[in-house]
Amino acid sequence: MKIARVIGTVTLSRMHPSMQGYKLRCVEVVESADQIQVNQDDAKPIGGDTIIAWDLVGSGQGDWVALAEGPESAAPFRPDVKPTDASIVAILDHCEVQTS
């Protein structure tokens, strides 16, 4: 599970029939705790990898989210099989990072 921030929406003209009704979001992945603390309420890019993920929770632009990748990204759909590599599985209301 990774933390990411939604930076955009992807629009498709066609998609796999099993994914009808879901949205695709463009997210920036957080690579260090400093990126969260500095940018938590800021709209500036955080500089992480950009990933396209299925939005399962209704996130919006600028939301901090939990991102599942790999086989875990399809787990919410079981027993159905869905063609996904990354899914947004939670919206983070607050994130507190303690560094020593």
Side-chain angles (χ1 to χ4, degrees):
M1 185 98 31
K2 294 182 178 180
I3 296 175
R5 185 173 61 189
V6 177
I7 59 172
T9 300
V10 177
T11 304
L12 302 174
S13 59
R14 297 177 65 195
M15 70 174 62
H16 193 276
S18 68
M19 297 306 290
Q20 292 294 329
Y22 294 99
K23 292 185 179 181
L24 283 174
R25 301 286 188 206
C26 186
V27 299
E28 246 183 330
V29 178
V30 172
E31 296 176 4
S32 74
D34 294 334
Q35 291 175 325
I36 295 172
Q37 289 183 331
V38 171
N39 295 297
Q40 195 158 10
D41 297 319
D42 197 355
K44 293 180 189 172
I46 55 176
D49 290 338
T50 303
I51 295 177
I52 305 301
W54 291 107
D55 183 6
L56 306 179
V57 296
S59 65
Q61 181 83 15
D63 283 345
W64 290 91
V65 295
L67 183 70
E69 293 184 290
E72 291 81 14
S73 70
F77 302 109
R78 285 194 180 130
D80 295 335
V81 177
K82 303 285 184 179
T84 179
D85 288 327
S87 295
I88 297 171
V89 295
I91 298 173
L92 306 176
D93 293 326
H94 179 76
C95 188
E96 184 175 327
V97 180
Q98 295 181 358
T99 57
S100 46

